[in-house]
Amino acid sequence: MAVLLFRLGGVPEEEAVEVRQLLDEGGFDVYETSEGRWKLSVAAIWLRDETQLPEARAALDDYQARLTERMQQDLADREAQGQPLSLWQRLRERPLQVIALTLAAAAVLTLSLLPFVSL
């Protein structure tokens, strides 16, 4: 029976390509589903043979640990060069996250100040 191995929703294309390549090089029997036209399905990579799950999961965990190190090093390099991400860069890279956090902050501020507003 197929097992969900890696969700592709919200994953940058570069990372998705690297994951596909990693799984291909590892010889894992996988297939991919898209979220579909109406975005009702799960965009993911599935493992056909669940006996391969421990090895595939270990390979993905190792890849993600290396990716985390690489991204942290890139951020440290940017900060060392005096180039931290600006709000606009963050907005370009992760627009939904920035908008969601802004709305959450506005909601907290509104709820905090609501008792002091006389209507």
Side-chain angles (χ1 to χ4, degrees):
M1 181 172 172
V3 178
L4 177 63
L5 186 60
F6 188 81
R7 290 183 187 267
L8 294 170
V11 173
E13 186 59 29
E14 177 184 322
E15 183 179 350
V17 168
E18 289 176 357
V19 167
R20 289 180 191 111
Q21 183 179 4
L22 170 79
L23 294 171
D24 188 43
E25 288 172 358
F28 297 106
D29 187 17
V30 296
Y31 67 95
E32 198 169 319
T33 57
S34 70
E35 53 189 14
R37 175 180 290 188
W38 306 107
K39 311 245 186 261
L40 297 174
S41 297
V42 177
I45 297 175
W46 299 78
L47 188 63
R48 290 183 202 271
D49 183 7
E50 65 183 274
T51 61
Q52 294 180 324
L53 184 60
E55 296 87 18
R57 176 62 38 213
L60 279 175
D61 290 345
D62 181 53
Y63 164 75
Q64 289 179 332
R66 286 183 283 130
L67 178 63
T68 300
E69 279 181 31
R70 192 172 72 207
M71 298 306 277
Q72 288 174 344
Q73 185 61 45
D74 182 47
L75 180 61
D77 291 345
R78 283 188 198 179
E79 289 176 348
Q81 295 172 0
Q83 299 174 341
L85 290 177
S86 70
L87 175 62
W88 299 116
Q89 288 171 323
R90 289 183 194 272
L91 184 59
R92 261 188 282 130
E93 288 183 9
R94 297 176 183 259
L96 294 178
Q97 183 181 23
V98 172
I99 292 169
L101 290 173
T102 303
L103 290 175
V108 168
L109 185 62
T110 301
L111 291 174
S112 298
L113 296 177
L114 196 59
F116 302 106
V117 176
S118 61
L119 297 174

